[in-house]
């Protein structure tokens, strides 16, 4: 990777696809230029070198790849390692794996609560309510009713089935999940939000 310090990590970040300013906390993906001149996703924002940022959107990533925005951002010929749509698929797979891994860690840390009653009982202490694609609408409605009474808790639908989610967190019947506030839960929520934002834009 390029060894220079990336001064855009914390300020003056702009989406290379749209030119839009990306304030701290914005859902965005960072990419760096690898030693061979290929684009490398840096989902954790920790790789050295100049970073190129794109708002968490599949359409933006595909557009940037097609319009050679990475070469302009890095001021050097830069290759996307696959056809634009295939590259977007690769990035979404990485985001999915990162989010599911983070949820597994959150469960082991005791900050991800699983089960209909467990989520309802902690309604006032949650940062987010998560469900898989195959969650029962009736059950979701009942949980959201309790959450509404306790305050504003966002409901995020994860783009996977419950069996995949169960495997990721190591617990059967992962249908209703509640993330606590702060600590390890914050990292998991950020990973989930990046993944779902990118997926929704697909």
């Amino acid at each position: 990777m390029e060894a220079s310090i990336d001064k855009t990590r914390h300020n003056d970040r702009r989406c290379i696809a749209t030119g839009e300013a990306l304030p701290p906390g914005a859902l965005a993906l960072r990419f760096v230029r690898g030693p061979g001149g290929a684009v490398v996703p840096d989902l954790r924002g920790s790789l050295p070198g100049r970073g190129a940022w794109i708002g968490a959107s599949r359409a933006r990533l595909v557009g940037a790849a097609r319009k050679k925005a990475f070469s302009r951002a890095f001021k050097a010929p830069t290759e996307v390692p696959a056809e634009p749509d295939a590259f977007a698929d690769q990035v979404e797979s990485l985001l999915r794996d990162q989010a599911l891994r983070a949820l597994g860690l959150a469960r082991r840390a005791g900050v991800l609560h699983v089960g209909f009653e467990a989520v309802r009982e902690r309604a006032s202490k949650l940062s987010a309510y998560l469900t898989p694609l195959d969650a029962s609408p009736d059950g979701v409605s009942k949980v959201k009713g309790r959450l509404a009474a306790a305050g504003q808790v966002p409901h995020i639908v994860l783009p996977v089935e419950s069996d995949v989610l169960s495997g990721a967190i190591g617990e059967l019947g992962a249908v209703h999940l509640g993330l606590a506030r702060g600590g390890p839960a914050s990292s998991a929520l950020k990973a989930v939000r990046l993944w779902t934002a990118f997926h929704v834009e697909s």
Side-chain angles (χ1 to χ4, degrees):
M1 307 294 172
E2 298 175 3
S4 61
I5 297 174
D6 182 10
K7 296 180 180 179
T8 66
R9 288 196 189 191
H10 304 294
N11 52 55
D12 197 29
R13 300 186 310 177
R14 290 190 176 276
C15 174
I16 66 170
T18 65
E20 171 190 3
L22 298 169
L27 294 177
L29 306 175
R30 183 176 186 263
F31 298 83
V32 297
R33 185 174 184 271
V39 177
V40 178
D42 179 23
L43 303 186
R44 299 181 66 180
S46 60
L47 294 178
R50 175 191 294 272
W53 294 85
I54 293 180
S57 158
R58 181 188 181 96
R60 290 189 185 190
L61 177 58
V62 170
R66 287 177 175 162
K67 296 177 181 178
K68 302 187 183 303
F70 287 105
S71 292
R72 292 194 297 275
F74 294 123
K75 300 179 181 179
T78 305
E79 295 183 2
V80 174
E83 187 273 333
D85 285 304
F87 182 51
D89 288 340
Q90 293 173 11
V91 170
E92 178 163 0
S93 180
L94 292 172
L95 289 168
R96 172 185 180 275
D97 291 348
Q98 175 179 259
L100 292 177
R101 187 165 52 249
L103 289 174
L105 291 173
R107 180 57 176 163
R108 290 192 287 278
V111 295
L112 177 66
H113 308 292
V114 181
F116 180 81
E117 290 300 336
V119 173
R120 281 166 54 91
E121 289 171 1
R122 296 171 174 82
S124 63
K125 300 178 181 179
L126 300 179
S127 64
Y129 168 46
L130 315 175
T131 58
L133 291 171
D134 54 345
S136 163
D138 182 59
V140 170
S141 178
K142 290 177 180 177
V143 172
K144 290 177 70 174
R146 175 65 67 87
L147 294 176
Q152 291 188 337
V153 177
H155 173 216
I156 301 175
V157 179
L158 304 175
V160 290
E161 303 289 329
S162 58
D163 58 340
V164 175
L165 191 53
S166 294
I169 68 172
E171 185 160 342
L172 294 175
V175 176
H176 304 282
L177 293 81
L179 268 173
R181 296 173 181 167
S186 296
S187 297
L189 181 56
K190 179 180 178 180
V192 164
R193 291 179 67 213
L194 276 173
W195 172 33
T196 54
F198 190 88
H199 180 82
V200 166
E201 292 287 346
S202 62

